[in-house]
Amino acid sequence: MEKSYQITGMTCSACAGRIERTLNKLNGVDKANVNFAAEKLYVSFDDKNINESEIVSAIKKAGYNIAGKNAKSEMPAHKKLLIRFIISMIFTVPLLIISMGHMVGMPLPKIIDPMENPLNFAIIQLALTIPVMATGYMFYLKGIKNLFRLSPNMDSLIAVGTLSSVVYGIFAITKIKNGHEHMAMELYFESAAVILTLITLGKYLESLSKGKSSQAIKELMELSPKIATVRRGKKELQVKSELVQIGDTVIVKPGEKFPVDGTVTLGTTSVDESMLTGESMPVTKNVGDKVIGATVNKNGYIEYTAEKIGEDTAISQIIKLVEEAQGKKAPIARLADVISAYFVPAVILLAIIAAVGWKIAGESNDFCITIFISVLVIACPCALGLATPTAIMIATGQGAKNGILIKGGEVLENAHKINTVVFDKTGTITEGIPVVTDIKTNGINENDLLLYAAAAEKLSEHPLGDSIVKEANSRNITIPEAENFESISGMGIKAVVNGKQIIIGNEKMMNEYKIKDDFISQITTFANQGKTAVICAVDGKAAGIIAISDQIKETSRSAVSKLENKGINTVMLTGDNKQTALTIAGYAGIKNVIYEVLPEDKAAEIKKIQESGKITAMVGDGINDAPALAQSDVGIAIGSGTDIAIESADIVLMNGSLEGVNTAIKLSHATITLQGNDKKYQTKSFLGVRLQYIGHSYSYGTASHFRRTASQSDDSRRRNELKFGIRSLKRTETEKFQGRCIKPQQIKKGVH
């Protein structure tokens, strides 16, 4: 048995992993998989050995909950986090001004001046910190709970570090009250508040990103019609689509969507399957042919038998594939929480060792406590979220200038590794719009043929007819009104134009009206070129043939060539037939072609390429591409494509040009190269600063503060002198870092 549950209470990918491990240990559970982005659990289990209540109970014991039926009415998680961030900022900003303003010459009222009233100075900071801690209560609730479960994550480090800072601050307040006024300059309240505020901001952005990821799934769910017309007995009933049963006779009129999958039992029509297959050409459906839910019936009355409903329909399978693919993404995002399992205990142990070491060396208890707190505060993971913000900001900004929207720093980290780019065909390599490419005539000029054909096709709803009308308009041909119009599903149309009998359609249509076809060889030639041929007869004689095709984009060939020159393999993945696929691929310069692929199999094809060791980017624009975009290491959507494809992708090319693929990869290389140049320094700096803070505590202060040390004890004065020296050392290290900082022009040079 398979079940899915909406999970609440997860804060990071480590939470998802914890749920999976907990459930996979249960007897009777075959497999548990959590999609962190969608906050969904998929569990396969043997209901003879375990029931649902036991699974739910295990989830709750792990510290998480199942969303109830009214979950939809609750405030979205990202809005809650935004409110928490705003509240935190309201208290953190004045706290920073009070604690650090004097360092830049900002005067404070005497009542809270650290020189005049150090006790008030400390108490007001505590008062401003408490609301920030209350707002960030989830960090303590989750972090401390996980710490006691011996499975610490970054929330645990945040909780321990900030809580220790505040506890030490309270301890310092008691010391100030007892006459140790210098302790007013050794507070860490603002550090705790800033850490909590910044991490809350990070959680908000993450939650916002999760919401966007799930938007693609929501839009997919909206594709199927809400109401279906079914015949049960002699009655025609209007029922909700989810109430359609297997075996029901479903009626679909022209312009309506198919509610479920099934087989045609009555009628002939053309069906627009572009939303699922990506192919712009409509597909003729006759009795015995399969139809897919959510596709559009263009021009014929259809009755069909429902065969696949609910989760078994093609659109539901695509939804499932998108969810699964999204749940497997973000290996880099998981790294921090994997490291935290070792990093957090190591930091705590290091803090204890540093404090005990200084105690053995003869330092006072106050000094040793300061050392302990210093290590914990410095180890709080702000740097994990802010290590390369400048690079990410500049890179994404530069991408936007080039019409490339990049959804986060992780995308930039992944994009530089790409060695295979897979392209969809229709709407990606090609324009996605059928146009007239060739006209061959017999005893009539081209414009006259277009006049007759356009007049008849103007009354048709067929996409091929639209392309003929557009071609006539582009030549400024005045299109007359047609009479006696009739559409013959699956074959063509007929009408009377200017007193002449016009018949337009395929070879089957010509045979039906016993019209001799003089264009057989030409039709074959067009077919080999990936074009669709439409025959036009005037007064019973084949007068001409019009070839219609989806044209390749002007930038496609050059973009593919540039990728190949970089050593990046290119592949075309399409549901189109072999001949058309090979023809278009040849025009674009792509040698590797995977054709006749069903929408639900595109993600599987991407996975095969990945399993061969390739770091893969998928470029697409249609609904059928969404699972493949989500499955790929980097999904790239065409800006003119469907919203679902755009939401499923990591990068969006707003101008629709495939040149953007090259630019995005260049941008990634430039950004990662610059980050990489800094990594050597960062490692050195990490070790230097860590040892520095283990050896001495860091404090804020001004010149006047250090002048006050003359009245302090020798021990206090010696400690403050050490602090001043360390601060100077830190400034020197900062200057070194500034010499290696990322410059905007470096990224621009890398792109252009």
Side-chain angles (χ1 to χ4, degrees):
M1 182 180 287
E2 292 186 1
K3 285 282 185 179
S4 63
Y5 303 93
Q6 198 72 32
I7 304 295
T8 61
M10 294 191 296
T11 59
C12 59
S13 56
C15 298
R18 191 171 300 114
I19 294 171
E20 289 175 355
R21 289 192 298 272
T22 300
L23 295 182
N24 285 325
K25 290 177 182 177
L26 298 178
N27 184 35
V29 173
D30 299 321
K31 187 180 180 182
N33 181 49
V34 177
N35 182 340
F36 176 61
E39 297 185 326
K40 252 189 163 181
L41 163 67
Y42 301 91
V43 58
S44 176
F45 62 96
D46 185 351
D47 56 358
K48 294 180 181 177
N49 295 325
I50 190 171
N51 55 49
E52 285 191 63
S53 61
E54 291 176 287
I55 294 173
V56 172
S57 177
I59 294 169
K60 290 181 177 180
K61 283 183 181 179
Y64 308 95
N65 292 302
I66 305 293
K69 294 182 180 178
N70 62 340
K72 290 184 179 180
S73 63
E74 296 178 359
M75 183 183 292
H78 69 274
K79 288 189 177 181
K80 290 181 181 179
L81 287 166
L82 179 60
I83 292 171
R84 290 175 187 172
F85 171 68
I86 293 171
I87 294 172
S88 297
M89 282 291 292
I90 290 172
F91 291 95
T92 299
V93 171
L95 176 59
L96 280 172
I97 294 172
I98 293 170
S99 63
M100 303 181 67
H102 61 283
M103 298 179 67
V104 293
M106 293 179 66
L108 290 175
K110 286 187 179 182
I111 194 170
I112 56 172
D113 187 275
M115 308 304 156
E116 302 289 335
N117 291 288
L119 183 60
N120 290 349
F121 178 71
I123 290 174
I124 189 67
Q125 290 188 53
L126 173 61
L128 289 169
T129 303
I130 289 174
V132 179
M133 294 180 71
T135 304
Y137 73 96
M138 288 300 298
F139 296 117
Y140 301 101
L141 191 65
K142 297 288 184 183
I144 294 174
K145 188 183 290 185
N146 290 332
L147 191 63
F148 281 108
R149 288 175 178 161
L150 301 179
S151 57
N153 59 1
M154 284 303 169
D155 286 348
S156 303
L157 188 56
I158 294 166
V160 172
T162 58
L163 196 59
S164 299
S165 301
V166 174
V167 170
Y168 176 76
I170 295 172
F171 168 74
I173 289 174
T174 62
K175 298 286 287 186
I176 295 169
K177 191 176 180 180
N178 293 328
H180 299 272
E181 295 184 352
H182 67 279
M183 294 288 288
M185 308 309 295
E186 299 180 5
L187 302 173
Y188 294 91
F189 290 122
E190 86 288 342
S191 298
V194 168
I195 288 170
L196 289 169
T197 302
L198 290 177
I199 299 297
T200 300
L201 174 61
K203 294 288 185 183
Y204 163 69
L205 295 174
E206 183 182 39
S207 180
L208 197 63
S209 174
K210 284 164 58 181
K212 288 184 177 180
S213 297
S214 61
Q215 187 63 32
I217 297 168
K218 292 177 183 176
E219 291 184 6
L220 279 169
M221 291 176 175
E222 294 296 320
L223 285 177
S224 297
K226 305 297 182 186
I227 302 295
T229 303
V230 300
R231 180 181 291 116
R232 292 173 180 171
K234 295 182 179 180
K235 293 183 179 180
E236 287 189 9
L237 305 172
Q238 299 280 322
V239 301
K240 291 183 178 180
S241 294
E242 58 264 29
L243 299 179
V244 175
Q245 302 173 5
I246 293 175
D248 276 346
T249 297
V250 184
I251 298 170
V252 184
K253 297 173 183 178
E256 295 181 345
K257 290 183 177 180
F258 294 90
V260 296
D261 300 0
T263 300
V264 177
T265 57
L266 177 67
T268 301
T269 189
S270 297
V271 178
D272 180 1
E273 296 182 342
S274 60
M275 64 175 60
L276 290 177
T277 65
E279 302 307 317
S280 55
M281 300 295 185
V283 181
T284 300
K285 299 291 183 181
N286 297 300
V287 175
D289 291 336
K290 300 289 185 181
V291 290
I292 304 170
T295 57
V296 181
N297 180 22
K298 293 293 291 183
N299 52 20
Y301 175 91
I302 282 287
E303 292 185 9
Y304 73 102
T305 302
E307 294 177 344
K308 292 182 179 179
I309 60 174
E311 295 182 354
D312 295 327
T313 62
I315 192 71
S316 295
Q317 291 301 309
I318 290 176
I319 292 171
K320 187 177 181 181
L321 287 169
V322 172
E323 288 181 332
E324 289 177 351
Q326 287 181 339
K328 294 173 183 175
K329 288 185 63 94
I332 294 175
R334 292 177 179 266
L335 183 60
D337 289 296
V338 172
I339 294 173
S340 69
Y342 304 95
F343 179 68
V344 175
V347 167
I348 296 173
L349 182 62
L350 197 60
I352 295 171
I353 291 172
V356 172
W358 279 108
K359 181 63 179 177
I360 294 172
E363 287 290 345
S364 65
N365 290 335
D366 291 0
F367 185 77
C368 294
I369 293 171
T370 303
I371 297 302
F372 178 78
I373 301 296
S374 298
V375 175
L376 291 178
V377 171
I378 296 301
C380 271
C382 284
L384 291 176
L386 305 172
T388 56
T390 305
I392 301 302
M393 180 181 66
I394 295 172
T396 53
Q398 191 63 36
K401 288 180 182 178
N402 286 273
I404 303 166
L405 300 185
I406 301 168
K407 299 181 181 180
E410 184 187 330
V411 178
L412 285 167
E413 291 191 56
N414 288 340
H416 86 288
K417 305 173 187 175
I418 292 170
N419 52 33
T420 301
V421 178
V422 182
F423 294 96
D424 171 52
K425 180 181 76 69
T426 307
T428 303
I429 294 176
T430 69
E431 296 288 353
I433 303 171
V435 295
V436 174
T437 59
D438 304 89
I439 299 176
K440 302 293 182 182
T441 61
N442 180 22
I444 188 173
N445 66 53
E446 287 188 6
N447 284 357
D448 286 343
L449 182 69
L450 271 175
L451 182 146
Y452 294 130
E457 292 287 4
K458 194 175 180 180
L459 301 175
S460 170
E461 298 177 349
H462 204 286
L464 298 184
D466 290 341
S467 63
I468 293 173
V469 174
K470 287 177 182 177
E471 180 65 20
N473 288 329
S474 69
R475 298 190 183 195
N476 296 318
I477 296 173
T478 303
I479 303 173
E481 293 294 326
E483 299 174 342
N484 301 329
F485 174 84
E486 184 181 350
S487 175
I488 296 93
S489 295
M491 292 192 290
I493 61 172
K494 65 178 184 175
V496 176
V497 180
N498 291 343
K500 297 183 180 293
Q501 182 71 45
I502 308 299
I503 297 175
I504 303 172
N506 53 25
E507 291 180 86
K508 189 177 178 181
M509 182 77 163
M510 297 299 115
N511 293 331
E512 180 75 17
Y513 289 89
K514 297 179 172 56
I515 296 171
K516 186 180 178 183
D517 186 359
D518 298 322
F519 300 99
I520 295 176
S521 61
Q522 195 62 59
I523 292 172
T524 304
T525 302
F526 286 146
N528 291 335
Q529 295 173 351
K531 301 174 181 178
T532 300
V534 177
I535 306 167
C536 181
V538 180
D539 287 338
K541 181 182 178 182
I545 184 171
I546 301 173
I548 300 168
S549 175
D550 187 5
Q551 293 292 88
I552 189 171
K553 292 179 180 177
E554 293 181 2
T555 58
S556 295
R557 187 171 182 85
S558 62
V560 169
S561 177
K562 289 176 182 177
L563 289 170
E564 291 284 353
N565 291 337
K566 288 180 183 177
I568 298 174
N569 296 323
T570 56
V571 181
M572 190 173 84
L573 179 65
T574 179
D576 214 338
N577 62 75
K578 179 180 179 180
Q579 186 57 57
T580 302
L582 292 175
T583 301
I584 298 298
Y587 290 152
I590 299 175
K591 298 181 179 66
N592 303 306
V593 184
I594 305 172
Y595 47 84
E596 297 177 1
V597 181
L598 296 174
E600 60 268 27
D601 293 335
K602 281 195 172 185
E605 292 293 339
I606 296 293
K607 192 174 182 180
K608 284 180 186 177
I609 296 172
Q610 291 172 318
E611 288 173 348
S612 68
K614 305 292 185 182
I615 307 299
T616 306
M618 171 69 192
V619 188
D621 73 315
I623 295 169
N624 63 308
D625 300 320
L629 290 167
Q631 174 64 47
S632 62
D633 298 288
V634 178
I636 304 174
I638 304 298
S640 57
T642 64
D643 290 342
I644 294 165
I646 291 170
E647 294 292 349
S648 300
D650 304 302
I651 297 173
V652 182
L653 308 179
M654 296 308 297
N655 59 13
S657 172
L658 295 186
E659 292 285 1
V661 178
N662 283 286
T663 305
I665 293 173
K666 280 185 179 181
L667 192 60
S668 174
H669 276 285
T671 307
I672 296 300
T673 299
L674 290 168
Q675 288 182 347
N677 289 338
D678 284 337
K679 281 179 182 176
K680 292 181 181 178
Y681 167 75
Q682 290 168 357
T683 304
K684 176 183 175 183
S685 175
F686 174 82
L687 294 174
V689 172
R690 182 66 62 233
L691 293 174
Q692 170 188 324
Y693 278 97
I694 291 173
H696 306 284
S697 68
Y698 174 72
S699 70
Y700 303 111
T702 61
S704 61
H705 165 62
F706 292 105
R707 284 195 295 271
R708 290 184 69 242
T709 60
S711 61
Q712 298 170 1
S713 66
D714 289 343
D715 183 65
S716 298
R717 185 166 61 252
R718 180 169 59 84
R719 287 201 298 270
N720 280 318
E721 287 170 352
L722 285 170
K723 291 169 191 172
F724 183 79
I726 294 306
R727 199 165 67 254
S728 300
L729 173 63
K730 187 173 187 292
R731 186 166 55 249
T732 303
E733 291 292 316
T734 302
E735 290 167 357
K736 290 179 182 179
F737 176 76
Q738 289 172 343
R740 305 178 70 101
C741 256
I742 301 162
K743 299 177 181 178
Q745 57 266 34
Q746 289 178 276
I747 288 188
K748 290 179 181 179
K749 186 178 179 183
V751 175
H752 298 293

